[in-house]
Amino acid sequence: MNHDYIIERVDTYPLLYRLEQPYGDANGYKAYRSCFLFKVTTRGGMEGWGECIDWLPTLQKGFEGRVIPYLLGKSVKDRTQLVNTLKKWHRRAAAGVSMALTEIVARGAGLSVTDLWGGKVHDQVPVYASFQSYSADQGWADRSLYRLERALSEGFSMVKVKVGGRSYEEDRAHIEKVRSLLNGGGVGLAIDGNESYDLATTRKWARELDQWEELMWFEEPMPMKLKEDYKILRRSGYSFAVAGGENLLNANQFLQLLGDGAMDIIQPDVQHVDGVDTFRAICGLARDFGVRVSPHTFDGALSRLYALFTQACLPSWSKMEGEGSMIIEPVEWDVMENPFNRLVPIDVKNGKAYIPDGAGIGVEVYRELLDAYRWDGEVYR
Ligand code: MG
């Protein structure tokens, strides 16, 4: 047995940042951003990083009491078995562990994660600027437009804004201003309802949206459990795409959407499913069903990197090259105030993320941030 791959230690890095100005979506405002990174080290000195999202006290306690004692002394090469056991206790911890162990296996072979997976098909993957449009003050719409302008000046050519948190009329007024700012300049627009509407209100939106050339998709207008209503919406003759699935947990749940023809674009999140391997399998399934896949990834820079790796390894969606075409679907890019976006530095230029080539994840975690934002252990809400 090669002892180099035996897990010797796991260090956790719970990080918290309290927002001065909370922002949010139809589900409410975020008062803080958090991040839970951890580093797995083997006897041979190989390191791999994992990330998961949940309330930090829950994660810290779970890691100290159960996840770390379980992992110590196990072989990284048994990733599938380890992740399958962990997911019975805490699905999100399992997702993070799957990242760390994948990185170590890649490093051990001297390969990048994408090489381990069979090689990149795309050296760059488009990303869209993702906004949390609401804030509690009267000036929320102006604030939203200001952020949008900034993202456009940074070169993003795809953006996503929120609806569903205000009245239909107030949201419409905001979206019209967004559209004026985009001004038919070739910037793609997605709107996200965060499951706020019933079918009747979704149809009210749909009649408007169907005229908008720039609309990339309407995301989760209705609760995802209303699969029949999604099927009705898609069969109503509208030509815009319907997207969703960020909170689904496994391939089985995605299969139901895919098999029923309820979605044009699925949006799995690497932190919400059973790990990196399941995530990749779901993205591959979308290709088998002829459905687009645009990964959801709003809660962590390491997870976002794994979403980019996966997308970089997917076969092209479209054969059409050139201006305005989409060879590979975009990945979400959090542009809100969140220092943890810088933890895993990725080169983004003109709305495209360049996929690192080095061994493992190919980038260094920005360790100074780990000290600067370390959670003090205080219970927060
Ligand atoms: Mg969403």
Side-chain angles (χ1 to χ4, degrees):
M1 185 174 176
N2 184 343
H3 292 284
D4 283 353
Y5 287 85
I6 300 295
I7 297 171
E8 188 168 70
R9 59 181 292 160
V10 180
D11 298 291
T12 61
Y13 302 90
L15 310 175
L16 186 72
Y17 175 67
R18 292 174 202 275
L19 294 169
E20 272 180 35
Q21 172 79 47
Y23 50 72
D25 57 22
N27 293 327
Y29 301 115
K30 296 179 196 314
Y32 58 85
R33 298 299 295 262
S34 67
C35 174
F36 190 87
L37 272 185
F38 56 93
K39 186 179 67 175
V40 174
T41 308
T42 68
R43 274 188 207 169
M46 290 182 285
E47 294 178 353
W49 290 89
E51 178 182 51
C52 41
I53 189 80
D54 206 326
W55 196 43
L56 294 176
T58 304
L59 287 173
Q60 189 63 24
K61 194 167 181 216
F63 267 72
E64 283 171 1
R66 199 163 193 190
V67 175
I68 296 173
Y70 173 73
L71 288 174
L72 294 180
K74 302 282 195 321
S75 171
V76 167
K77 293 181 192 173
D78 293 326
R79 179 175 81 246
T80 306
Q81 196 188 325
L82 300 181
V83 170
N84 280 341
T85 301
L86 284 173
K87 79 183 185 194
K88 294 177 197 159
W89 305 340
H90 196 290
R91 185 183 298 274
R92 292 181 171 190
V97 168
S98 77
M99 295 174 205
L101 304 193
T102 298
E103 182 183 350
I104 291 172
V105 171
R107 282 188 187 280
L111 298 173
S112 65
V113 166
T114 51
D115 283 342
L116 183 74
W117 290 348
K120 277 185 297 189
V121 182
H122 315 279
D123 291 323
Q124 45 185 261
V125 170
V127 291
Y128 67 86
S130 185
F131 299 92
Q132 298 271 305
S133 303
Y134 300 117
S135 44
D137 57 313
Q138 289 286 331
W140 71 269
D142 289 339
R143 198 183 299 276
S144 159
L145 295 167
Y146 168 75
R147 287 194 199 103
L148 185 67
E149 253 180 315
R150 197 178 52 193
L152 295 177
S153 72
E154 287 167 6
F156 283 96
S157 57
M158 289 179 267
V159 298
K160 183 171 89 181
V161 296
K162 298 291 187 179
V163 294
R166 295 290 189 278
S167 68
Y168 173 79
E169 290 72 21
E170 195 173 344
D171 276 340
R172 267 298 307 276
H174 171 235
I175 296 291
E176 283 306 335
K177 285 181 189 156
V178 168
R179 295 186 68 214
S180 305
L181 200 59
L182 304 183
N183 194 25
V187 174
L189 170 67
I191 64 170
D192 184 358
N194 288 97
E195 307 189 294
S196 298
Y197 304 118
D198 61 0
L199 181 57
T201 317
T202 302
R203 281 176 155 155
K204 195 169 162 184
W205 272 108
R207 280 196 298 275
E208 299 293 328
L209 302 181
D210 218 24
Q211 315 299 319
W212 299 358
E213 284 287 327
E214 72 274 35
L215 189 73
M216 299 191 295
W217 66 76
F218 193 5
E219 180 170 325
E220 301 197 334
M222 300 176 282
M224 289 298 287
K225 65 184 178 192
L226 303 181
K227 206 171 42 159
E228 291 304 313
D229 287 353
Y230 274 97
K231 285 159 65 178
I232 292 168
L233 177 66
R234 278 197 76 225
R235 288 166 194 173
S236 298
Y238 298 115
S239 57
F240 61 84
V242 180
E246 64 192 55
N247 289 312
L248 300 192
L249 301 176
N250 52 44
N252 190 333
Q253 292 183 348
F254 278 99
L255 258 180
Q256 290 175 35
L257 283 184
L258 294 165
D260 273 354
M263 286 285 143
D264 297 279
I265 303 170
I266 61 164
Q267 300 174 303
D269 187 310
V270 69
Q271 293 196 76
H272 298 171
V273 298
D274 298 338
V276 171
D277 299 288
T278 301
F279 178 76
R280 292 181 61 222
I282 291 167
C283 294
L285 269 178
R287 281 288 180 274
D288 289 335
F289 279 83
V291 167
R292 281 176 270 168
V293 55
S294 176
H296 175 271
T297 170
F298 198 75
D299 276 311
L302 183 64
S303 315
R304 180 166 72 183
L305 180 57
Y306 275 92
L308 288 168
F309 285 155
T310 302
Q311 207 73 345
C313 293
L314 270 188
S316 299
W317 165 252
S318 167
K319 298 169 188 165
M320 295 170 277
E321 298 206 25
E323 188 81 7
S325 64
M326 190 175 285
I327 300 298
I328 184 75
E329 305 92 313
V331 169
E332 183 168 28
W333 195 264
D334 173 7
V335 290
M336 299 302 290
E337 181 194 2
N338 179 4
F340 308 133
N341 283 332
R342 292 183 282 129
L343 274 168
V344 180
I346 300 295
D347 215 6
V348 171
K349 281 194 201 88
N350 293 323
K352 290 191 175 72
Y354 289 78
I355 308 300
D357 271 324
I361 58 173
V363 288
E364 288 294 321
V365 170
Y366 188 1
R367 295 194 186 214
E368 279 136 63
L369 291 182
L370 302 180
D371 295 329
Y373 292 99
R374 190 160 189 107
W375 170 56
D376 58 9
E378 198 181 312
V379 170
Y380 64 92
R381 283 175 189 85

